Amino acid sequence: MAMCAALRRFSSNFPAVLPLLSGPARVSSRYTARGATVWRGFSASSRLEEALRFTDKHEWVRAEGGIGTVGISSFAQEALGDVVYCGLPEVGTKLQPMEEFGALESVKAASELYSPLTGEVTEINTELTESPGLVNSSCYERGWLIKMTIENPGELEALMDEAAYEKYIKSLE
């Protein structure tokens, strides 16, 4: 019930909030219940996205427990267009930073994929075989490409955080 009320309050203000959703938006509301002021918040930026590190080739990596999940950025998938094929490496492939490990093909172009880190491929996203469009529709969640070991955690620090990556993208325009 409380969730419905919160969604109703948010959806009624959606046109005013929409411009804020292009970045890490935080919308707060206040109400008074039995004499006490209570603050409620809404965040459009998830912890998932805040933990991402980016390369200048537009790959991202999310590190969790010595394993890096790798995908392409929203900027890259928009530039590429509708992805129709994902060529990914075999499990066990050893990679070096900026080494080509696969390719994405779309209706208008093809693009090579580059490893953000040193490590070994532990898993590929088999969902992309049947649904390569997940790279477009869910690039930071279901559209990930590979998972790999992180042999040198210090390499993560050399990658851009979200704010630096957004600045980098703006410099390209």
Side-chain angles (χ1 to χ4, degrees), residues 22 50 62 70 87-88 148:
S22 61
E50 290 173 4
R62 181 183 314 110
V70 178
L88 300 174
M148 63 187 297

Side-chain angles (χ1 to χ4, degrees), residues 35-100:
T37 301
V38 179
W39 287 90
R40 288 190 174 181
F42 169 78
S43 175
S45 168
S46 69
R47 292 187 98 110
L48 200 68
E49 290 178 22
E50 290 173 4
L52 299 179
R53 306 296 284 190
F54 297 86
T55 70
D56 61 355
K57 300 281 188 189
H58 308 289
E59 281 82 15
W60 58 261
V61 62
R62 181 183 314 110
E64 298 175 74
I67 299 293
T69 302
V70 178
I72 65 166
S73 70
S74 181
F75 176 84
Q77 65 83 19
E78 286 174 14
L80 195 55
D82 294 338
V83 175
V84 295
Y85 174 77
C86 301
L88 300 174
E90 294 182 13
V91 170
T93 303
K94 294 187 185 303
L95 299 171
Q96 296 296 317
M98 301 317 295
E99 179 180 352
E100 188 177 323

Side-chain angles (χ1 to χ4, degrees), residues 50-154:
E50 290 173 4
L52 299 179
R53 306 296 284 190
F54 297 86
T55 70
D56 61 355
K57 300 281 188 189
H58 308 289
E59 281 82 15
W60 58 261
V61 62
R62 181 183 314 110
E64 298 175 74
I67 299 293
T69 302
V70 178
I72 65 166
S73 70
S74 181
F75 176 84
Q77 65 83 19
E78 286 174 14
L80 195 55
D82 294 338
V83 175
V84 295
Y85 174 77
C86 301
L88 300 174
E90 294 182 13
V91 170
T93 303
K94 294 187 185 303
L95 299 171
Q96 296 296 317
M98 301 317 295
E99 179 180 352
E100 188 177 323
F101 71 82
L104 296 177
E105 294 179 14
S106 73
V107 293
K108 63 181 184 180
S111 180
E112 292 79 21
L113 299 167
Y114 298 93
S115 176
L117 306 167
T118 302
E120 182 177 325
V121 177
T122 59
E123 186 178 349
I124 61 168
N125 187 347
T126 56
E127 268 192 279
L128 298 179
T129 304
E130 294 294 320
S131 303
L134 287 172
V135 171
N136 299 109
S137 64
S138 184
C139 65
Y140 296 117
E141 294 176 14
R142 292 184 57 213
W144 60 272
L145 304 169
I146 63 170
K147 293 190 180 191
M148 63 187 297
T149 59
I150 300 174
E151 288 185 18
N152 183 357

Side-chain angles (χ1 to χ4, degrees), residues 7-36:
L7 287 174
R8 203 172 19 252
R9 181 175 20 254
F10 177 71
S11 64
S12 67
N13 292 327
F14 191 74
V17 173
L18 187 59
L20 300 173
L21 295 180
S22 61
R26 282 161 178 65
V27 178
S28 295
S29 64
R30 177 175 64 120
Y31 71 94
T32 304
R34 295 188 184 135

